[in-house]
Amino acid sequence: MKQILFILVAFSSICSYAQFFKKTSSGYEMYSDSAMTKRTGTDVYENCWSKMVFAKDSSFLFYEGRKNQRGYYAVKKNGKWGGIDATGKEVKAFTFDAPFEQRKSGHYLVFENLKDTLDQLKYKIGSTISRYDSTMNLDTSFYIMDDYKGTYLVSYNKIKFGLINADFKLLLPMKYESVTYKMLNFRFNPSGFLPLENELDKCGVVNYTGKIVIPFNYEWMNDYVWNDNFIFVQNGKKKGFVNTSNVIVVPLKYETCPMFLGPKNLVADENYTWFVNEKFEAISQKYQALEREGNVYFFKQNGKWGVADVDLKVIVPNVYSSIEYGPRLKANPDFKCYYAVKNGKYGLISLTNEIIVPFEYECLCGLSYYAPDAYYIEFKKAGSLYRFDYTGKLVEKVVGEGKACLCEMVPGQ
């Protein structure tokens, strides 16, 4: 989708001699303008070798014909492919079984085993580009994954890939692989950049001329260049971003960092966690810890824990050494509260920081996911156990150890 949107933006620069095809119920009609007001000829074609383009108002899509080096367009009619010029005149007989291009050398490039996606012929694993001489004798054939401005991403074996030009001159040796095994995004981006993995399992980026623009120094990176200015890279546990000029725009020091930047992204280094925007600019405070639980965040600042909503607005101030959800009630599963530690003492508070059980107790005892039927929570103080219901009412006091207490839970850890 991002590639399609780029075509839309770049469309205004398409030269005036381009021809466009409109898909109708009968087939493809050719026009000389993108507004589809100037029909070229009366023929209707079964298919066309073209690129998908969306109209500026996105109300319809059409297809920009791939102009051959010899100046004509490949179209399909009566089950065969041939060539027409910009006036719709047949200039190459309809004798080909697949889309083709003719070179000045007299060679033909034929593209076979394509897939039809949204009425557009595209490459897939197993698609081939074959070169034939002027008498249609096969010269050379490769598997092909993509093309860009006369450069082709090809392979002998569908595993190791390189780049060739339209005259089959080698631009990049066939020793590289897709960054990901399934090759779902293995193609050039709209600027002609292509991530690859070399024989040492290191990742880098080349452009369509075969030039290495980002050295193969990374253990992992985006398998497609979605953004020329922010390409995710990783070595070990350290993550960051580089651009296509090989400038490190975000240092590789982040332990938490998404591969794709959106309006709000959680990042973390060795010391802090915070949110950044798509330009990696901070849009929140920095936290020593930030853990999401449902529709709230437990956050830690200045060594103390609190609770904030999804917009990071503080609900419970960070004044606690520890804070966690209390047990659930079988009879009322919607009830929630927090048990917490303040000044070394345990207590119970509501979701809005109202005290349910004062912070007077030395230890939390017998905690499980569901509260017992006889009481809600149990604390220990001076050798006695104190059992409360969920409203904070004392239900029972027991002298002695009773059930095991969670005294190994050290406040502040």
Side-chain angles (χ1 to χ4, degrees):
M1 179 60 72
K2 290 180 182 292
Q3 190 173 23
I4 294 172
L5 292 176
F6 175 87
I7 293 172
L8 170 60
V9 172
F11 176 70
S12 59
S13 63
I14 295 175
C15 299
S16 59
Y17 58 77
Q19 298 298 105
F20 305 98
F21 293 86
K22 177 182 178 181
K23 178 69 184 295
T24 69
S25 59
S26 301
Y28 292 84
E29 301 171 349
M30 188 165 74
Y31 291 80
S32 61
D33 67 320
S34 62
M36 303 295 174
T37 60
K38 301 176 182 178
R39 177 85 182 271
T40 302
T42 58
D43 284 334
V44 177
Y45 305 100
E46 297 166 25
N47 216 325
C48 57
W49 186 226
S50 59
K51 295 181 288 186
M52 183 165 34
V53 181
F54 276 96
K56 290 183 178 180
D57 61 3
S58 299
S59 62
F60 69 95
L61 64 85
F62 51 96
Y63 303 87
E64 177 196 351
R66 291 175 179 245
K67 191 174 185 181
N68 189 284
Q69 189 188 38
R70 302 303 297 271
Y72 55 81
Y73 303 89
V75 293
K76 186 178 183 181
K77 185 170 67 174
N78 299 324
K80 292 291 184 178
W81 288 82
I84 57 175
D85 64 15
T87 68
K89 178 183 176 182
E90 179 181 321
V91 293
K92 185 59 62 177
F94 286 82
T95 58
F96 292 83
D97 293 324
F100 66 96
E101 295 179 1
Q102 186 180 16
R103 305 296 298 164
K104 291 179 180 178
S105 62
H107 289 94
Y108 291 93
L109 306 183
V110 181
F111 305 89
E112 298 175 287
N113 299 321
L114 306 174
K115 66 178 179 180
D116 194 331
T117 303
L118 295 176
D119 299 317
Q120 182 185 16
L121 294 175
K122 294 183 178 181
Y123 302 117
K124 63 180 180 181
I125 299 174
S127 296
T128 60
I129 176 174
S130 300
R131 184 172 69 172
Y132 294 82
D133 64 21
S134 58
T135 59
M136 294 308 295
N137 290 313
L138 179 63
D139 180 292
T140 309
S141 184
F142 297 105
Y143 294 104
I144 180 170
M145 285 298 295
D146 199 17
D147 70 81
Y148 185 90
K149 292 187 177 181
T151 292
Y152 301 95
L153 173 61
V154 298
S155 172
Y156 289 118
N157 57 11
K158 294 186 284 187
I159 300 174
K160 300 292 185 180
F161 286 81
L163 303 180
I164 61 172
N165 67 12
D167 293 318
F168 278 35
K169 177 183 177 181
L170 190 66
L171 303 179
L172 189 72
M174 293 187 202
K175 62 179 184 179
Y176 298 94
E177 298 181 23
S178 168
V179 171
T180 59
Y181 174 74
K182 292 185 177 181
M183 298 190 283
L184 295 177
N185 297 308
F186 196 28
R187 63 186 188 274
F188 295 102
N189 87 331
S191 303
F193 295 112
L194 175 72
L196 294 170
E197 181 179 279
N198 67 13
E199 65 273 23
L200 300 176
D201 296 328
K202 294 289 188 176
C203 301
V205 175
V206 302
N207 66 15
Y208 70 97
T209 69
K211 179 183 176 181
I212 296 174
V213 295
I214 297 177
F216 288 78
N217 295 333
Y218 302 101
E219 296 174 8
W220 187 250
M221 71 185 335
N222 288 132
D223 61 341
Y224 177 81
V225 180
W226 301 101
N227 185 332
D228 291 359
N229 297 313
F230 285 93
I231 302 170
F232 176 88
V233 289
Q234 181 174 348
N235 279 328
K237 294 183 178 180
K238 302 300 184 181
K239 306 166 185 176
F241 290 86
V242 299
N243 64 21
T244 51
S245 297
N246 195 33
V247 175
I248 297 177
V249 293
V250 176
L252 275 73
K253 66 177 185 178
Y254 296 91
E255 298 179 357
T256 298
C257 184
M259 294 183 67
F260 307 98
L261 292 175
K264 185 178 181 181
N265 313 276
L266 182 69
V267 298
D269 60 17
E270 292 180 352
N271 301 307
Y272 296 102
T273 300
W274 68 102
F275 284 97
V276 298
N277 62 17
E278 62 271 18
K279 296 181 180 180
F280 218 86
E281 299 166 335
I283 56 174
S284 77
Q285 302 178 52
K286 290 189 175 182
Y287 303 89
Q288 291 169 291
L290 190 65
E291 302 169 2
R292 182 153 183 178
E293 292 277 352
N295 61 351
V296 300
Y297 284 100
F298 291 88
F299 70 93
K300 185 178 183 181
Q301 284 182 315
N302 302 317
K304 300 293 184 180
W305 286 90
V307 183
D309 65 16
V310 291
D311 296 317
L312 298 178
K313 181 180 178 182
V314 174
I315 303 171
V316 176
N318 56 309
V319 295
Y320 301 103
S321 301
S322 300
I323 185 168
E324 296 286 345
Y325 276 117
R328 305 301 292 270
L329 288 169
K330 293 180 180 179
N332 183 9
D334 294 329
F335 174 78
K336 291 182 180 180
C337 66
Y338 303 117
Y339 70 86
V341 179
K342 184 177 182 181
N343 298 324
K345 301 294 184 180
Y346 284 85
L348 199 67
I349 60 174
S350 72
L351 299 186
T352 57
N353 200 40
E354 296 173 336
I355 294 177
I356 300 174
V357 175
F359 289 87
E360 300 175 359
Y361 299 90
E362 299 165 0
C363 196
L364 174 66
C365 304
L367 185 70
S368 62
Y369 183 80
Y370 281 111
D373 292 335
Y375 58 91
Y376 178 71
I377 200 164
E378 185 177 52
F379 292 116
K380 174 185 174 183
K381 180 172 67 172
S384 295
L385 303 177
Y386 295 81
R387 295 169 178 169
F388 299 90
D389 68 12
Y390 71 96
T391 69
K393 178 183 178 181
L394 181 63
V395 174
E396 184 179 17
K397 177 182 176 181
V398 179
V399 178
E401 292 298 326
K403 294 182 179 179
C405 288
L406 306 179
C407 296
E408 67 274 11
M409 178 179 170
V410 180
Q413 297 300 309

